[in-house]
């Protein structure tokens, strides 16, 4: 690698983008948290400012905790500053010398908890009952979580368990599915729909049980060292599949963003950047098939009016709206974009008790848009966005891949 190439790659790492900041306030004008919470000084005043000033004393801006890592600031920045990622790095720095709360530990380690639950006979049912009782008795609120919310229940069987019973046609064309924690443990039917869709397009779907959680909840809660361990493991397995020319595909926009982009931004590792090139969001991959005239368009009519909420972490991948473009080809489907900004959930942000009101205030525009829309269902590529929509509007929601599975008659 030449010195010039090395320098360019170094300048693309999140830590070094702080020096590109022009203090133009584009990040502040686009920040949904700043609009909802006046105590938040704004994105550029937290991570980027700390990085640029290189403070010689322990000095943490208290309002750093308000950042939801939605990445609206990064999309708005004209200078390419990784504002949100810098905020997450600064948050991790804070927790090097400060203890995490029980709430943080629980929300960051959903994968760990799910594995423990599924080790017990009838574990999911017992855990779901316990969570309902816990909510009714105010236990979660006492732990610092949003007592107004219901914790998403565990599915009776995980996606990985259901996958073992799916009979797929053998094919030379293969993809590896990265289910992520939410699909695997809470909403496995999204993963099942993905497998069916890929089978309809002549692909055999593989899974790699050695994958960990992508690490997004860990990063958000400041467990950066653990997130790095997850990244190292996942990247090693992605590159194993890359060597076999088999792409890795995710149905969760937060997972695909983390695997494709955020690992490299956070940890400045060239292997992570290379691995990211072998990762695709589900409809990104399907649109590539369409561009090559390889997408199966033998669709059955699906008479549904769909309102599409595009998640922030999909917007940050710069893909446009491939799900809307593909579903628009299905007879009977009418797709309209909500175009109402961030839902406010931002993964685990809206589950924190002290962030619940902010989360709901951010989501007001979307809630009103959904309530005013004449739609049969709201579609979204992010599981926690769907939870927020259900909580704020009681609307019926699903992943767009589930609509596509219907179009294939599956």
């Amino acid at each position: 690698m030449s010195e010039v190439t090395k320098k360019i790659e170094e300048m693309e790492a999140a830590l070094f983008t702080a020096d590109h900041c022009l203090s133009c306030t584009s990040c502040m004008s686009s920040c949904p948290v700043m609009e909802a919470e006046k105590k938040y000084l704004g994105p550029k005043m937290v991570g980027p400012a700390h990085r640029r000033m290189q403070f010689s004393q322990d000095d943490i801006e208290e309002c750093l905790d308000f950042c939801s890592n939605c990445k609206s600031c990064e999309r708005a920045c004209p200078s390419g500053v990784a504002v949100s990622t810098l905020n997450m790095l600064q948050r991790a720095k804070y927790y090097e010398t400060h203890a995490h709360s029980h709430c943080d530990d629980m929300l960051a380690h959903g994968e760990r908890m799910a594995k423990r639950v599924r080790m017990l006979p009838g574990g999911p049912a017992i855990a779901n009952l316990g969570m309902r009782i816990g909510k009714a008795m105010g236990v979660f609120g006492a732990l610092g979580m949003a007592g107004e919310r219901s914790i998403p229940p565990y599915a009776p069987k995980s996606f990985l368990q259901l996958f073992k019973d799916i009979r797929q046609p053998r094919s030379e064309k293969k993809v590896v599915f990265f289910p992520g924690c939410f699909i695997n443990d809470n909403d496995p039917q999204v993963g099942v729909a993905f497998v069916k869709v890929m089978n309809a397009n002549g692909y055999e779907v593989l899974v790699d049980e050695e994958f960990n959680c992508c690490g997004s909840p860990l990063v958000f809660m400041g467990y950066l060292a653990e997130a790095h361990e997850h990244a190292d493991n996942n990247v090693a397995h992605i590159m194993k599949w890359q060597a076999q020319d088999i792409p890795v595909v995710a149905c969760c926009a937060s997972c695909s963003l983390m695997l494709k982009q955020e690992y490299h931004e956070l940890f400045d590792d060239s292997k992570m950047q290379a691995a990211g090139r072998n990762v695709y969001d589900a409809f990104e991959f399907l649109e590539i098939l369409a561009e090559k005239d390889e997408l199966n368009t033998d669709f059955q009519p699906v008479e549904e009016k769909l309102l599409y909420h595009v998640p922030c972490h999909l917007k940050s991948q710069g893909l446009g709206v491939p799900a809307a473009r593909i579903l628009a080809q299905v007879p009977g489907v009418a797709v309209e974009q909500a175009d109402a900004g961030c839902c406010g959930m931002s993964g685990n942000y809206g589950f924190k008790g002290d962030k619940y009101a902010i989360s709901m205030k951010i989501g007001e525009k979307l809630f009103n848009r959904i309530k005013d829309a004449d739609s049969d269902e709201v579609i979204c590529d992010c599981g926690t966005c769907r939870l927020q929509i259900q909580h704020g509007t009681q609307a019926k929601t699903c992943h767009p891949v589930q609509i596509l599975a219907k179009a294939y008659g599956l």
Side-chain angles (χ1 to χ4, degrees):
M1 181 186 296
S2 71
E3 287 300 316
V4 173
T5 302
K6 186 176 180 181
K7 187 64 176 177
I8 290 172
E9 287 190 359
E10 181 182 86
M11 292 301 289
E12 289 176 347
L15 282 174
F16 297 94
T17 64
D19 291 331
H20 303 167
C21 179
L22 303 174
S23 296
C24 69
T25 72
S26 292
C27 61
M28 299 171 75
S29 63
S30 68
C31 177
V33 176
M34 196 172 184
E35 184 177 353
E37 176 51 71
K38 302 307 178 187
K39 293 180 182 178
Y40 187 37
L41 299 180
K44 73 171 187 177
M45 298 303 294
V46 189
H50 275 250
R51 173 64 190 175
R52 295 176 78 185
M53 297 301 291
Q54 294 288 305
F55 292 157
S56 59
Q57 59 186 15
D58 290 338
D59 185 270
I60 299 293
E61 175 50 60
E62 291 181 0
C63 75
L64 167 65
D65 189 53
F66 284 114
C67 177
S68 69
N69 199 30
C70 72
K71 297 192 175 293
S72 294
C73 51
E74 293 186 5
R75 296 193 300 275
C77 179
S79 303
V81 180
V83 186
S84 190
T85 300
L86 285 164
N87 288 347
M88 294 304 103
L89 290 171
Q90 192 65 30
R91 185 173 292 173
K93 187 71 175 175
Y94 171 83
Y95 282 112
E96 287 180 4
T97 54
H98 295 74
H100 283 92
S101 67
H102 290 301
C103 174
D104 289 350
D105 183 68
M106 290 172 64
L107 292 175
H109 296 97
E111 180 185 49
R112 180 184 68 191
M113 183 62 70
K115 286 181 177 179
R116 291 176 178 174
V117 164
R118 294 195 182 280
M119 290 174 65
L120 302 173
I126 296 169
N128 292 341
L129 176 62
M131 289 189 291
R132 289 196 297 272
I133 294 172
K135 178 184 177 181
M137 296 182 64
V139 172
F140 292 120
L143 290 172
M145 298 174 70
E148 299 88 342
R149 294 194 189 275
S150 296
I151 306 300
Y154 294 111
K157 288 188 176 182
S158 69
F159 167 75
L160 292 176
Q161 289 172 319
L162 293 176
F163 180 79
K164 291 179 172 63
D165 295 326
I166 299 176
R167 299 178 67 87
Q168 298 186 72
R170 295 291 181 183
S171 174
E172 292 184 0
K173 298 190 294 184
K174 304 180 192 297
V175 296
V176 175
F177 180 49
F178 184 94
C181 303
F182 186 78
I183 290 175
N184 186 55
D185 290 303
N186 307 104
D187 202 1
Q189 292 307 318
V190 172
V192 172
F194 173 77
V195 175
K196 292 178 178 179
V197 165
M198 295 311 300
N199 290 169
N201 282 279
Y203 279 81
E204 182 181 353
V205 177
L206 310 176
V207 296
D208 188 334
E209 296 192 25
E210 296 302 315
F211 277 134
N212 291 123
C213 163
C214 70
S216 183
L218 294 166
V219 170
F220 176 73
M221 292 296 175
Y223 292 86
L224 195 63
E226 282 187 61
H228 202 163
E229 291 174 4
H230 282 224
D232 285 337
N233 176 74
N234 290 337
V235 164
H237 288 279
I238 291 169
M239 296 190 78
K240 175 188 71 177
W241 295 112
Q242 189 175 40
Q244 300 175 56
D245 199 27
I246 300 177
V248 175
V249 183
C251 277
C252 171
S254 295
C255 291
S256 55
L257 180 67
M258 180 63 70
L259 299 174
K260 290 165 67 174
Q261 178 179 321
E262 289 187 275
Y263 282 169
H264 176 59
E265 287 184 351
L266 288 162
F267 306 118
D268 188 22
D269 187 326
S270 59
K271 293 195 301 295
M272 295 178 180
Q273 188 176 39
R277 290 191 281 268
N278 194 49
V279 178
Y280 299 85
D281 194 79
F283 276 88
E284 174 190 14
F285 188 81
L286 290 166
E287 190 163 58
I288 291 171
L289 295 185
E291 290 170 354
K292 296 190 294 186
D293 200 27
E294 295 177 4
L295 180 71
N296 178 1
T297 55
D298 185 17
F299 300 130
Q300 298 182 13
V302 178
E303 301 294 337
E304 286 203 49
K305 293 181 180 179
L306 304 172
L307 188 66
Y308 182 25
H309 170 63
V310 185
C312 293
H313 287 176
L314 186 68
K315 293 177 183 177
S316 292
Q317 295 180 47
L319 303 175
V321 285
R325 290 192 289 266
I326 289 175
L327 291 179
Q329 301 176 46
V330 177
V333 167
V335 185
E336 184 180 3
Q337 292 182 51
D339 195 23
C342 180
C343 76
M345 192 64 168
S346 293
N348 287 333
Y349 187 83
F351 279 111
K352 299 187 72 172
D354 60 343
K355 301 300 185 297
Y356 175 77
I358 299 172
S359 170
M360 295 301 288
K361 187 171 180 60
I362 292 170
E364 279 181 0
K365 292 178 184 177
L366 177 60
F367 302 155
N368 292 333
R369 175 75 172 89
I370 292 169
K371 290 172 183 177
D372 292 341
D374 180 24
S375 59
D376 299 311
E377 202 160 7
V378 181
I379 58 172
C380 180
D381 314 72
C382 175
T384 54
C385 288
R386 295 195 297 274
L387 290 177
Q388 175 79 327
I389 290 166
Q390 292 163 7
H391 180 71
T393 68
Q394 290 74 56
K396 184 180 179 183
T397 69
C398 74
H399 192 289
V401 80
Q402 292 173 288
I403 302 296
L404 194 57
K406 284 185 188 179
Y408 287 128
L410 303 171

